[in-house]
Amino acid sequence: MDYKVIYEGKSKLVCEGPDDKSYVMVFKDTATAGNGAKKEELNGKGVLNRRISGLIYDYLMKNGIETHLLETIDDNTVLVKKAEILQVEVIVRNVAAGSFSKKYGVEEGAALHNRVVEFCYKSDELGDPMMNDSQITAVGLATQEELDTLRREALRIDDLLIAYFEKLGIRLIDFKLEFGRADGKILLCDEISPDSCRLWDSKTNAKMDKDRFRREMGQVLEGYADVLSRMEAEKN
Ligand code: UDP
């Protein structure tokens, strides 16, 4: 189907919906890393991420998380409620990895004394810099009340996802969330997939996520497909 593209992101197209209250969101096969410096087409990534994200959203919504998802249109396309995306990304960390390990000199895989919630300014130009609450409210990206909601919802989602992945023999190391404003509420938006989460096999600590692409480890989509097949097996 041809949709009128409003915005093309690195891994998704946002298109006009059937009415002025919705958008059509298409998951692309493009993989990017390093703020777009590394870019490749991975055939089938869009479908895998749409399916994984769809099952995660179903589970979160059943557990009371409000999201922008309205319905699935086809295997790589969904209908979502129009929301004003907050320019603040929320990162939750259960285990040290990635930029946290690098920046603070903590070994990857090290246990943390508490979970970490980070806010980052969603700006490719500036390289998504981390911001604290007073910086965010000072420049008007969100109100303190909204930040309190983001933190609370992100930790609820973390609790739910840790339990979900644990059953599949997967450790949820960290992940990134996006939220939007619609009808006076804050909704979970965008995808939750191996593009936006670090997922390690519980027994072997093998990476099943986008680090396979970032670090040129190969077998990227095999990792994603393994995550999906465990999710589907648990569902049945
Ligand atoms: N993440 C993301 N988009 C971003 C930045 C981070 O989806 O623009 C995810 C990433 O996949 C990981 C978590 O957020 O699961 C923490 O990422 P980190 O800050 O360690 O950054 P990275 O090492 O990916 O640069």
Coordinates of all heavy atoms in Angstrom, one line a residue, residues 44-85:
G44 N 14.1 -7.9 6.0 CA 13.3 -8.6 7.0 C 13.3 -8.0 8.4 O 12.5 -8.4 9.2
K45 N 14.2 -7.0 8.6 CA 14.3 -6.5 10.0 C 13.0 -5.7 10.3 O 12.5 -5.9 11.5 CB 15.4 -5.4 10.1 CG 15.5 -4.9 11.5 CD 16.7 -4.0 11.7 CE 16.5 -2.6 11.1 NZ 15.8 -1.7 12.0
G46 N 12.4 -5.1 9.4 CA 11.1 -4.3 9.6 C 10.0 -5.3 10.1 O 9.3 -5.0 11.1
V47 N 9.9 -6.4 9.5 CA 8.8 -7.3 9.9 C 9.1 -7.9 11.2 O 8.3 -8.0 12.1 CB 8.7 -8.5 8.8 CG1 7.8 -9.6 9.3 CG2 8.1 -7.9 7.5
L48 N 10.4 -8.3 11.5 CA 10.8 -8.9 12.8 C 10.5 -7.9 13.9 O 9.9 -8.3 14.9 CB 12.3 -9.3 12.8 CG 12.7 -10.6 12.1 CD1 14.2 -10.6 11.9 CD2 12.2 -11.8 12.9
N49 N 10.9 -6.6 13.7 CA 10.7 -5.6 14.8 C 9.2 -5.3 15.0 O 8.8 -5.1 16.1 CB 11.5 -4.4 14.5 CG 12.9 -4.5 14.9 OD1 13.3 -5.4 15.5 ND2 13.7 -3.5 14.5
R50 N 8.4 -5.3 13.9 CA 7.0 -5.0 14.0 C 6.4 -6.2 14.8 O 5.6 -5.9 15.7 CB 6.4 -4.9 12.6 CG 5.1 -4.1 12.6 CD 3.9 -4.7 13.2 NE 3.7 -6.0 12.7 CZ 3.0 -7.0 13.3 NH1 2.5 -6.8 14.5 NH2 2.9 -8.2 12.8
R51 N 6.8 -7.4 14.5 CA 6.2 -8.6 15.2 C 6.6 -8.6 16.7 O 5.7 -8.8 17.6 CB 6.6 -9.9 14.6 CG 6.0 -10.1 13.2 CD 6.3 -11.5 12.7 NE 5.8 -11.7 11.4 CZ 6.1 -12.7 10.6 NH1 7.0 -13.6 11.1 NH2 5.7 -12.8 9.4
I52 N 7.9 -8.3 17.0 CA 8.3 -8.3 18.4 C 7.7 -7.2 19.1 O 7.1 -7.4 20.2 CB 9.9 -8.2 18.4 CG1 10.5 -9.5 17.8 CG2 10.4 -7.9 19.8 CD1 12.0 -9.4 17.6
S53 N 7.7 -6.0 18.5 CA 7.1 -4.8 19.2 C 5.6 -5.1 19.4 O 5.1 -4.7 20.5 CB 7.4 -3.6 18.3 OG 7.2 -2.4 19.1
G54 N 5.0 -5.7 18.5 CA 3.5 -5.9 18.6 C 3.2 -6.8 19.8 O 2.3 -6.5 20.6
L55 N 4.0 -7.9 19.9 CA 3.7 -8.8 21.1 C 4.0 -8.1 22.4 O 3.3 -8.3 23.4 CB 4.6 -10.1 20.9 CG 4.2 -11.0 19.8 CD1 5.2 -12.1 19.6 CD2 2.8 -11.6 20.1
I56 N 5.1 -7.3 22.4 CA 5.4 -6.6 23.7 C 4.4 -5.5 24.0 O 3.9 -5.4 25.1 CB 6.8 -5.9 23.5 CG1 7.9 -7.0 23.5 CG2 7.1 -4.9 24.7 CD1 9.3 -6.4 23.3
Y57 N 3.9 -4.8 23.0 CA 2.8 -3.8 23.2 C 1.6 -4.5 23.7 O 0.9 -4.0 24.6 CB 2.6 -3.0 21.9 CG 3.3 -1.7 21.9 CD1 4.7 -1.6 21.8 CD2 2.6 -0.5 21.9 CE1 5.3 -0.4 21.8 CE2 3.2 0.7 21.9 CZ 4.6 0.8 21.8 OH 5.2 2.0 21.8
D58 N 1.2 -5.7 23.1 CA 0.0 -6.4 23.6 C 0.1 -6.7 25.1 O -0.8 -6.5 25.9 CB -0.1 -7.8 22.9 CG -0.6 -7.6 21.4 OD1 -1.0 -6.5 21.0 OD2 -0.5 -8.6 20.7
Y59 N 1.3 -7.2 25.4 CA 1.5 -7.6 26.8 C 1.5 -6.4 27.8 O 0.8 -6.4 28.8 CB 2.9 -8.3 26.9 CG 3.5 -8.4 28.3 CD1 3.0 -9.3 29.2 CD2 4.6 -7.6 28.7 CE1 3.5 -9.5 30.5 CE2 5.2 -7.8 30.0 CZ 4.6 -8.7 30.9 OH 5.2 -8.8 32.1
L60 N 2.1 -5.3 27.3 CA 2.1 -4.1 28.2 C 0.7 -3.5 28.3 O 0.3 -3.1 29.4 CB 3.1 -3.0 27.6 CG 4.6 -3.3 27.7 CD1 5.4 -2.2 27.0 CD2 5.1 -3.6 29.1
M61 N 0.0 -3.5 27.2 CA -1.4 -2.9 27.2 C -2.3 -3.7 28.1 O -3.1 -3.2 28.8 CB -1.9 -2.7 25.8 CG -1.2 -1.6 25.1 SD -1.3 -1.6 23.3 CE -2.9 -0.9 23.0
K62 N -2.1 -5.1 28.1 CA -2.9 -6.0 28.9 C -2.6 -5.6 30.4 O -3.4 -5.9 31.3 CB -2.5 -7.4 28.7 CG -3.6 -8.1 27.8 CD -3.3 -9.6 27.7 CE -3.5 -10.1 26.3 NZ -2.5 -11.0 25.8
N63 N -1.4 -5.1 30.6 CA -1.0 -4.8 32.0 C -1.2 -3.3 32.4 O -0.5 -2.8 33.3 CB 0.4 -5.3 32.3 CG 0.4 -6.8 32.5 OD1 0.1 -7.3 33.5 ND2 0.8 -7.5 31.4
G64 N -2.0 -2.7 31.6 CA -2.4 -1.3 32.0 C -1.5 -0.2 31.5 O -1.7 1.0 31.9
I65 N -0.6 -0.4 30.6 CA 0.3 0.6 30.1 C -0.5 1.3 28.9 O -1.0 0.6 28.0 CB 1.6 0.1 29.6 CG1 2.4 -0.6 30.7 CG2 2.5 1.2 29.0 CD1 2.9 0.3 31.8
E66 N -0.6 2.6 28.9 CA -1.3 3.3 27.8 C -0.3 3.6 26.7 O 0.8 4.1 26.9 CB -1.9 4.6 28.3 CG -2.9 4.3 29.4 CD -4.0 5.3 29.4 OE1 -4.7 5.4 28.3 OE2 -4.2 6.0 30.4
T67 N -0.7 3.2 25.4 CA 0.2 3.4 24.3 C -0.5 4.0 23.1 O -1.7 4.1 23.1 CB 0.8 2.0 23.8 OG1 -0.2 1.4 23.0 CG2 1.1 1.1 25.0
H68 N 0.3 4.3 22.1 CA -0.3 5.0 20.9 C -0.9 3.9 19.9 O -1.5 4.3 18.9 CB 0.7 5.9 20.2 CG 1.8 5.2 19.5 ND1 2.6 5.9 18.6 CD2 2.4 4.0 19.7 CE1 3.5 5.0 18.1 NE2 3.4 3.9 18.8
L69 N -0.6 2.6 20.2 CA -1.0 1.6 19.2 C -2.5 1.4 19.0 O -3.2 1.2 20.0 CB -0.3 0.3 19.6 CG -0.5 -0.9 18.6 CD1 0.1 -0.6 17.2 CD2 0.0 -2.2 19.1
L70 N -3.0 1.5 17.8 CA -4.4 1.3 17.6 C -4.7 -0.1 17.0 O -5.5 -0.8 17.5 CB -5.0 2.4 16.7 CG -5.0 3.8 17.2 CD1 -5.3 4.9 16.2 CD2 -5.9 3.9 18.4
E71 N -4.0 -0.4 15.9 CA -4.1 -1.7 15.3 C -3.0 -2.0 14.3 O -2.2 -1.1 13.9 CB -5.4 -1.8 14.5 CG -5.6 -0.9 13.4 CD -7.0 -0.9 12.8 OE1 -7.9 -0.5 13.4 OE2 -7.1 -1.4 11.6
T72 N -2.8 -3.3 14.0 CA -1.8 -3.8 13.1 C -2.5 -3.8 11.7 O -3.5 -4.3 11.5 CB -1.3 -5.2 13.4 OG1 -0.8 -5.1 14.8 CG2 -0.2 -5.7 12.5
I73 N -1.8 -3.1 10.7 CA -2.3 -3.1 9.4 C -1.8 -4.2 8.5 O -2.5 -5.0 7.9 CB -2.0 -1.7 8.7 CG1 -2.6 -0.6 9.5 CG2 -2.4 -1.7 7.2 CD1 -2.3 0.8 9.0
D74 N -0.5 -4.4 8.5 CA 0.1 -5.6 7.9 C 1.4 -5.9 8.6 O 1.7 -5.3 9.7 CB 0.2 -5.5 6.4 CG 1.2 -4.4 6.0 OD1 2.2 -4.2 6.6 OD2 0.9 -3.8 4.9
D75 N 2.2 -6.8 8.1 CA 3.3 -7.3 8.8 C 4.4 -6.3 9.2 O 5.2 -6.6 10.1 CB 3.9 -8.5 8.1 CG 4.2 -9.7 9.0 OD1 4.0 -9.5 10.2 OD2 4.8 -10.7 8.6
N76 N 4.5 -5.2 8.5 CA 5.5 -4.2 8.9 C 4.8 -2.8 9.1 O 5.5 -1.8 9.1 CB 6.7 -4.1 8.0 CG 6.3 -3.7 6.6 OD1 5.1 -3.6 6.3 ND2 7.2 -3.4 5.7
T77 N 3.5 -2.8 9.3 CA 2.8 -1.5 9.3 C 1.7 -1.5 10.4 O 1.0 -2.5 10.5 CB 2.1 -1.3 7.9 OG1 3.0 -1.5 6.9 CG2 1.6 0.1 7.8
V78 N 1.7 -0.4 11.2 CA 0.7 -0.3 12.2 C 0.0 1.1 12.1 O 0.5 2.0 11.6 CB 1.3 -0.4 13.6 CG1 1.8 -1.8 13.9 CG2 2.4 0.6 13.9
L79 N -1.2 1.1 12.7 CA -2.0 2.4 12.8 C -1.8 2.9 14.3 O -2.0 2.1 15.2 CB -3.4 2.1 12.5 CG -4.3 3.3 12.5 CD1 -4.0 4.2 11.2 CD2 -5.8 2.9 12.4
V80 N -1.4 4.1 14.4 CA -1.2 4.6 15.8 C -1.9 5.9 16.0 O -2.2 6.7 15.0 CB 0.4 4.9 16.1 CG1 1.1 3.6 16.0 CG2 1.0 5.9 15.1
K81 N -2.2 6.2 17.2 CA -2.9 7.5 17.6 C -1.9 8.6 17.4 O -0.7 8.5 17.7 CB -3.3 7.4 19.0 CG -4.3 8.5 19.4 CD -4.7 8.4 20.9 CE -5.8 7.4 21.1 NZ -6.2 7.4 22.5
K82 N -2.3 9.7 16.8 CA -1.5 10.9 16.6 C -1.1 11.4 18.0 O -2.0 11.6 18.8 CB -2.3 11.9 15.9 CG -1.4 12.8 14.9 CD -2.3 13.8 14.2 CE -2.3 13.6 12.7 NZ -2.9 14.7 12.0
A83 N 0.2 11.6 18.2 CA 0.6 12.1 19.5 C 1.8 13.1 19.2 O 2.5 12.9 18.2 CB 1.1 11.0 20.4
E84 N 1.9 14.0 20.1 CA 3.0 14.9 20.0 C 4.2 14.3 20.7 O 4.2 14.2 21.9 CB 2.6 16.3 20.7 CG 3.7 17.4 20.5 CD 3.4 18.5 21.4 OE1 2.3 18.6 22.1 OE2 4.3 19.4 21.6
I85 N 5.2 13.8 19.9 CA 6.3 13.1 20.5 C 7.2 14.0 21.4 O 7.6 15.1 20.9 CB 7.2 12.4 19.4 CG1 6.3 11.4 18.6 CG2 8.4 11.7 20.0 CD1 5.9 10.2 19.3

